[in-house]
Amino acid sequence: MSDEASIIVDRRAGFRIITLNRPQRLNAFNEEMHVALRAALDDADADVACRALLLTGAGRAFCAGQDLSDRVHGKGPRRDLGQSLDRFYNPLVRKLRTLRFPVVAAVNGVAAGAGASVALHCDIVLAAQSAKFIQAFAKIGVVPDAGGTWLLPRLIGMARARGLALLGETLSAETAQAWGLIWKAVDDDRLMAEAGEMCAQLAAGPTIGLGLIKRALDAAETNDLDRQLDLERDLQREAGFTPDYAEGVTAFMEKRAPRFTGRRE
Ligand code: T3D
C-alpha cells in the first residue's frame, strides 16, 4: 500500500483539494498518511495563493480512523496510545482548526473513529446522502479522540453525544444534518461539485476576515461574553485595517461585486 501516495493534493485556482488515499483500508490513518497530510497542510498554509481547502477521501469512504492493522492483536506488547495522540492526532487537529483559511470537508462515505472527528473539525462539513458517521471507539474499547469528546457535546448536546459515543451507533448524513452535526447532506453525485463551488467561493472571499471569523467562533466555545466582546473588538480592529475591508465597503458603495485579494497589504 505504500507504493501509492497516501494523500493526493490537487491545486485549483485559489484552493487545494486534499484526498485521503488509502481506499483499500477505507483511508484509515497510518503514520505515513499522518506525515503526508501534515506536510500538505503546512504547505497549503504557507502558500499565500491558497485561500481555502477541501478535504475528502478516495473510494467509498472518507476515513475509518486509526488503521487497526498497525495495532497489536492478542498477547503482543501493548502500545502507548497516548503517544500516538501526542505525535499525530492532536497536532493534526490543532493544525486543522488554526489554518488561516476555511476548510471544507466533503464526506464522501463512512467517517468512523478519528476519521469522524477529523471531518467534524473542518469549518464546513458537506456529506453525501449515503455517508455515515460512526463513533466507533467504544466498539474497540477506546475513548473518542482527536477532539471528539470536546466536539460532540458542543455540536449536538450532551444527550446525543453520550448516546453516540457509548453505543457507537451509525448516524446517517440526513440525521447528522437534522441534529446540527454537519452543515448539509447533498446528493452523492453532487457532493464534489458543491464542495468545489463552495471552496471557489470561499477562496474568492476576504481571506483574513474569514480567518478572523474562525478564530472568534472557536474562542466562543470557551469564552464568557465579556471576554468574547473584547476579542471581537480586537479582531474587528485587525479586520478593519485589511485592504479587503476597504474593497468590500467601496464595492458596496459602487454597487459592484467586490474583488478581494486576501492579502494583508
Ligand atoms: O490507535 C491510536 O493511535 C489511537 C487512536 C485511535 C483513533 C481511532 O480512530 S480508533 C477507531 C478506529 N476505527 C474503527 O474502529 C473503525 C473500524 N472499521 C469499521 O468499523 C468498518 O470498517 C466501517 C464501519 C468503517 C465500514 O464497514 P464496512 O462494512 O463498510 O467495510 P469493511 O468491510 O469493514 O472494511 C473494508 C476494508 O477496510 C476491510 O478490509 P478487507 O477485509 O477488505 O481487507 C477492513 O478491514 C478495512 N478497514 C476498515 N476500517 C479499517 C480497516 N482496516 C484497518 N483499520 C481500520 N480502521
Side-chain angles (χ1 to χ4, degrees):
M1 297 209 38
S2 55
D3 293 340
E4 221 178 326
S6 54
I7 64 156
I8 298 168
V9 181
D10 181 3
R11 289 158 195 253
R12 302 286 177 92
F15 69 97
R16 296 183 185 192
I17 302 176
I18 297 183
T19 304
L20 306 176
N21 188 40
R22 303 185 70 233
Q24 304 90 324
R25 295 222 194 276
L26 305 188
N27 307 316
F29 276 100
N30 62 1
E31 289 199 13
E32 184 191 331
M33 192 166 92
H34 269 294
V35 170
L37 178 58
R38 183 56 206 263
L41 293 177
D42 286 343
D43 194 50
D45 205 13
D47 176 7
V48 286
C50 181
R51 297 166 64 188
L53 194 77
L54 200 171
L55 184 63
T56 192
R60 71 178 177 89
F62 177 77
C63 174
Q66 171 60 39
D67 187 329
L68 297 175
S69 64
D70 272 4
R71 296 296 179 252
V72 77
H73 318 278
K75 295 199 166 133
R78 305 237 164 98
R79 183 186 280 259
D80 178 350
L81 298 185
Q83 212 173 63
S84 161
L85 299 189
D86 261 344
R87 281 187 65 199
F88 297 114
Y89 288 100
N90 293 353
L92 169 61
V93 168
R94 290 187 176 111
K95 185 74 200 178
L96 262 181
R97 289 199 76 100
T98 55
L99 282 169
R100 61 180 171 76
F101 42 68
V103 184
V104 175
V107 182
N108 52 304
V110 65
S117 302
V118 165
L120 298 174
H121 279 295
C122 294
D123 297 301
I124 299 183
V125 185
L126 287 177
Q129 288 286 356
S130 64
K132 299 169 194 146
F133 296 83
I134 311 176
Q135 294 298 311
F137 308 92
K139 294 185 176 182
I140 56 166
V142 292
V143 177
D145 60 16
T149 56
W150 185 88
L151 263 180
L152 286 174
R154 284 173 166 78
L155 290 173
I156 56 175
M158 194 55 93
R160 284 169 168 162
R162 282 184 199 275
L164 287 184
L166 294 171
L167 301 172
E169 277 182 17
T170 299
L171 197 70
S172 68
E174 199 181 354
T175 308
Q177 179 186 328
W179 284 9
L181 187 69
I182 64 169
W183 172 243
K184 203 156 65 149
V186 301
D187 286 344
D188 287 24
D189 57 4
R190 285 285 308 150
L191 177 70
M192 288 310 288
E194 282 209 25
E197 284 158 19
M198 185 180 281
C199 278
Q201 178 192 330
L202 291 165
T207 309
I208 295 171
L210 298 184
L212 297 175
I213 292 172
K214 286 178 54 158
R215 271 174 58 194
L217 292 175
D218 264 7
E221 302 284 6
T222 47
N223 275 351
D224 59 23
L225 176 60
D226 237 24
R227 287 173 71 99
Q228 192 68 12
L229 288 172
D230 286 347
L231 178 70
E232 287 177 1
R233 174 205 57 211
D234 295 344
L235 299 181
Q236 200 69 300
R237 180 172 290 137
E238 196 175 333
F241 285 122
T242 60
D244 280 344
Y245 169 64
E247 165 62 8
V249 174
T250 306
F252 175 79
M253 297 309 291
E254 293 174 358
K255 301 191 186 306
R256 61 170 174 80
R259 291 181 291 269
F260 295 123
T261 65
R263 298 194 180 250
R264 214 159 264 288
E265 301 300 334

